[in-house]
């Protein structure tokens, strides 16, 4: 996964991110069904390892630790042990910038948007329903709108 560069984000090329940063601002954001919010850098590293993508890289950890992004994983099976997909939600644009399956397979395609019956179409719509029913309400409740930026609080544990 590679985030689109937003003009207001400042990521240093060699930015150091401390291990196991907890994203406290996500503590009240609920998991729904098999969609699980990643609430720490440790969980991001695990997502990258399980899905064979770069979710645990410094860039993603920096974006999440600044409170500018929310990563949500689709995990299925017994105890949500099977990692299926990962969505990157930008809090400034309030939209999914990427939804990727195993090995960075693209889920957010026009075909999947139109076909709810295909496996990837079903995944696509799970993420968008989560955005509409949970994420957007969470953003409104916490004082975020498209024109107002707010600093989210993170902590080390």
């Amino acid at each position: 996964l590679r985030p689109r560069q937003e003009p207001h984000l400042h990521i240093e090329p060699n930015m150091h991110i401390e291990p196991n940063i907890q994203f406290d601002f996500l503590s009240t954001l609920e998991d729904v069904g098999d969609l699980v919010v990643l609430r720490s850098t440790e969980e991001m590293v695990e997502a990258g390892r399980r899905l064979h993508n770069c979710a645990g890289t410094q860039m993603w950890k920096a974006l999440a630790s600044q409170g500018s992004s929310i990563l949500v994983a689709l995990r299925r099976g017994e105890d949500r042990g099977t990692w299926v997909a990962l969505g990157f939600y930008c809090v400034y644009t309030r939209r999914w910038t990427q939804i990727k399956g195993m090995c960075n397979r693209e889920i957010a395609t026009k075909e999947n948007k139109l076909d709810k019956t295909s496996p990837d179409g079903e995944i696509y719509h799970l993420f968008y329903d989560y955005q509409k029913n949970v994420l957007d309400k969470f953003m409104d409740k916490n004082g975020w709108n498209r024109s107002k930026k707010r600093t989210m609080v993170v902590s080390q544990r």
Side-chain angles (χ1 to χ4, degrees), residues 14-139:
N14 296 315
M15 182 179 246
H16 175 71
I17 306 296
E18 296 297 324
N20 200 22
I21 294 174
Q22 301 295 311
F23 307 132
D24 294 339
F25 68 97
L26 298 176
S27 63
T28 60
L29 180 56
E30 62 186 299
D31 298 336
V32 174
D34 292 331
L35 291 171
V36 179
V37 177
L38 303 186
R39 294 181 175 87
S40 71
T41 53
E42 190 174 276
E43 290 176 340
M44 292 174 69
V45 169
E46 178 71 4
R49 189 176 70 74
R50 295 290 188 104
L51 290 168
H52 303 285
N53 63 31
C54 61
T57 64
Q58 293 296 93
M59 173 72 94
W60 283 101
K61 290 189 279 188
L63 289 169
S65 69
Q66 290 180 3
S68 61
S69 64
I70 299 172
L71 275 72
V72 179
L74 175 60
R75 297 173 58 182
R76 292 193 164 146
E78 189 174 322
D79 297 325
R80 295 181 177 156
T82 303
W83 292 70
V84 179
L86 186 65
F88 172 83
Y89 179 83
C90 178
V91 300
Y92 297 119
T93 60
R94 290 182 68 166
R95 64 183 174 91
W96 296 107
T97 55
Q98 296 184 43
I99 302 173
K100 300 285 187 170
M102 187 68 72
C103 299
N104 284 332
R105 189 182 83 256
E106 186 62 57
I107 302 290
T109 65
K110 288 181 183 180
E111 295 81 15
N112 291 334
K113 182 178 182 179
L114 298 173
D115 182 9
K116 292 182 179 183
T117 61
S118 72
D120 283 352
E122 184 231 347
I123 292 169
Y124 174 93
H125 287 278
L126 279 174
F127 277 94
Y128 277 89
D129 288 346
Y130 181 77
Q131 175 184 338
K132 181 177 71 174
N133 297 318
V134 179
L135 271 173
D136 288 344
K137 291 175 183 175
F138 171 81
M139 299 300 287

Side-chain angles (χ1 to χ4, degrees), residues 135-148:
L135 271 173
D136 288 344
K137 291 175 183 175
F138 171 81
M139 299 300 287
D140 291 339
K141 180 180 176 185
N142 288 285
W144 278 85
N145 62 45
R146 285 180 173 84
S147 62
K148 177 180 169 186

